[in-house]
């Protein structure tokens, strides 16, 4: 079987939604592919409880007649969809998190992200995260943590990359809890930036990360700030109000116990 067809098989396997019922079968197919037993892998794919009959990629592979690649338009749209403004990019934070996770895969039992809340900007980091979920840390990852994720791509560079990212954190002292919280806050901003395609609100979401006390904000406070941005978007013009002592003393946030400086996300509207 030629390399192009083999690559399509791996791609097809990656695109099949992973469930508790089909996970063992998918893992077995992946092992067959890794061992170059392509005929057995094809047979197992055909027996999957997954409708492949209308999948053009599957027909193409089974007929051993590779045709055209995925349309360039789709690739372009996928690339656009994953884009975030530079203020919401933090390569070092993502690399530190995945490095710590690879160093101690047991941490996935606590420091994981639900599929709907996982917004890595870097595809390589995202792939390594799925590797921890289904390989390195599989026995520690809950079914909830794995739900709706697909297996990691089987790329040749994946094992050397693991060592690279582990090397970035080796010998350094990090507070994993803090790294996780900061990344979760960033994911919340990215998720809502993508969820709300209204420039006025997106600009306010980006402004949150520029707030001078952003690093001290809790996850709940970031979520509250986004809610405020949404609520006030119906007004045509608004200004950030720095005097929000009422908000800080209302008991709906934690910053009131740490500082008198106010959150600039309680919006004062004309």
């Amino acid at each position: 079987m030629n390399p192009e067809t083999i690559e399509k098989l791996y791609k097809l396997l990656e695109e099949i939604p992973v469930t508790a019922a089909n996970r063992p079968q998918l893992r077995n197919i992946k092992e067959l592919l890794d061992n170059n037993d392509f005929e057995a892998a094809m047979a197992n794919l055909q027996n999957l409880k997954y409708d492949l009959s209308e999948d053009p990629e599957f027909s193409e592979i089974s007929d051993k007649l590779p045709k055209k690649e995925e349309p360039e338009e789709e690739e372009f749209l996928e690339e656009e969809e994953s884009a975030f403004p530079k203020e919401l990019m933090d390569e070092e934070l993502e690399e530190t998190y995945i490095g710590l996770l690879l160093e101690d895969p047991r941490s996935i039992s606590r420091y994981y992200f639900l599929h709907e809340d996982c917004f890595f900007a870097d595809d390589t980091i995202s792939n390594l995260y799925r590797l921890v979920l289904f390989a390195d840390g599989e026995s520690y990852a809950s079914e909830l943590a794995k739900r709706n994720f697909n297996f990691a791509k089987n790329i040749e560079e994946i094992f050397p990359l693991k060592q690279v990212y582990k090397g970035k954190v080796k010998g350094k002292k990090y507070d994993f809890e803090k790294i996780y919280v900061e990344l979760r806050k960033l994911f919340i901003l990215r998720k809502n930036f993508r969820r709300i395609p209204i420039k006025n609100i997106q600009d306010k979401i980006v402004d949150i990360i520029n707030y001078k006390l952003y690093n001290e904000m809790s996850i709940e406070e970031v979520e509250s700030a986004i809610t405020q941005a949404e609520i006030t978007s119906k007004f045509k013009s608004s200004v950030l109000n720095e005097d929000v002592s009422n908000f800080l003393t209302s008991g709906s946030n934690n910053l009131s116990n740490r500082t008198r400086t106010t959150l600039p996300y309680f919006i004062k509207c004309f």
Side-chain angles (χ1 to χ4, degrees):
M1 190 174 287
N2 63 54
E4 184 180 357
T5 303
I6 295 170
E7 184 178 346
K8 288 181 180 294
L9 267 173
Y10 275 114
K11 183 178 180 182
L12 176 62
L13 181 64
E14 179 197 346
E15 291 175 350
I16 297 175
V18 180
T19 65
N22 70 15
R23 184 177 294 117
Q25 215 169 349
L26 289 172
R27 186 181 298 111
N28 180 53
I29 293 170
K30 184 176 183 297
E31 289 176 356
L32 290 171
L33 289 174
D34 291 342
N35 293 325
N36 298 323
D37 193 348
F38 303 116
E39 290 186 7
M42 284 287 294
N44 277 269
L45 275 170
Q46 288 175 312
N47 292 329
L48 261 181
K49 293 180 179 179
Y50 177 76
D51 185 10
L52 296 172
S53 60
E54 301 301 323
D55 193 317
E57 289 289 343
F58 183 76
S59 299
E60 180 180 323
I61 294 168
S62 61
D63 293 336
K64 299 183 180 181
L65 294 173
K67 299 178 182 178
K68 62 181 181 180
E69 298 292 335
E70 292 293 322
E72 293 183 5
E73 268 189 307
E74 291 184 10
E75 293 177 2
F76 174 77
L77 290 173
E78 184 177 346
E79 181 180 343
E80 285 296 306
E81 185 182 1
S82 67
F84 298 102
K86 66 180 188 304
E87 291 88 349
L88 299 185
M89 302 296 287
D90 195 331
E91 182 179 339
E92 183 178 354
L93 182 62
E94 291 191 21
E95 289 181 352
T96 300
Y97 168 78
I98 202 66
L100 291 172
L101 206 55
L102 289 166
E103 273 283 274
D104 184 9
R106 294 172 299 178
S107 301
I108 195 67
S109 64
R110 181 177 181 184
Y111 300 120
Y112 65 87
F113 297 97
L114 297 179
H115 181 268
E116 59 267 27
D117 298 325
C118 190
F119 283 82
F120 288 107
D122 188 295
D123 290 339
T124 299
I125 302 295
S126 178
N127 195 39
L128 286 168
Y129 179 73
R130 285 179 283 145
L131 183 73
V132 175
L133 278 177
F134 295 110
D136 298 40
E138 182 178 16
S139 58
Y140 306 104
S142 65
E143 288 300 316
L144 179 64
K146 297 173 184 175
R147 185 178 300 165
N148 295 327
F149 280 100
N150 292 331
F151 290 122
K153 296 177 182 177
N154 186 29
I155 55 175
E156 294 180 1
E157 300 86 356
I158 197 165
F159 292 107
L161 279 173
K162 284 175 59 178
Q163 301 308 315
V164 169
Y165 287 106
K166 287 169 69 174
K168 289 178 180 289
V169 300
K170 194 173 184 62
K172 299 178 182 178
K173 292 184 178 179
Y174 289 100
D175 183 340
F176 206 153
E177 176 81 22
K178 181 173 176 57
I179 294 296
Y180 172 74
V181 168
E182 289 305 306
L183 188 55
R184 189 172 172 192
K185 284 160 55 177
L186 185 60
F187 282 179
I188 290 170
L189 292 174
R190 288 175 178 174
K191 178 179 181 178
N192 286 279
F193 181 90
R194 182 175 293 174
R195 179 178 65 86
I196 311 170
I198 301 172
K199 188 178 186 305
N200 182 41
I201 300 178
Q202 287 182 329
D203 289 344
K204 289 187 176 73
I205 289 173
V206 172
D207 280 341
I208 295 172
I209 205 168
N210 293 325
Y211 175 48
K212 59 185 177 182
L213 290 181
Y214 171 78
N215 289 337
E216 297 181 39
M217 292 174 72
S218 67
I219 292 169
E220 292 75 18
E221 286 164 345
V222 170
E223 292 173 332
S224 295
I226 294 171
T227 300
Q228 283 295 325
E230 285 192 75
I231 291 173
T232 59
S233 66
K234 61 183 178 181
F235 297 100
K236 290 185 178 180
S237 60
S238 63
V239 294
L240 292 178
N241 178 16
E242 301 232 358
D243 183 15
V244 290
S245 56
N246 289 335
F247 173 68
L248 289 171
T249 58
S250 67
S252 59
N253 68 87
N254 298 322
L255 282 182
S256 55
N257 298 325
R258 302 197 295 269
T259 177
R260 293 182 180 178
T261 308
T262 58
L263 282 170
Y265 297 104
F266 211 92
I267 311 297
K268 177 179 179 181
C269 303
F270 311 111

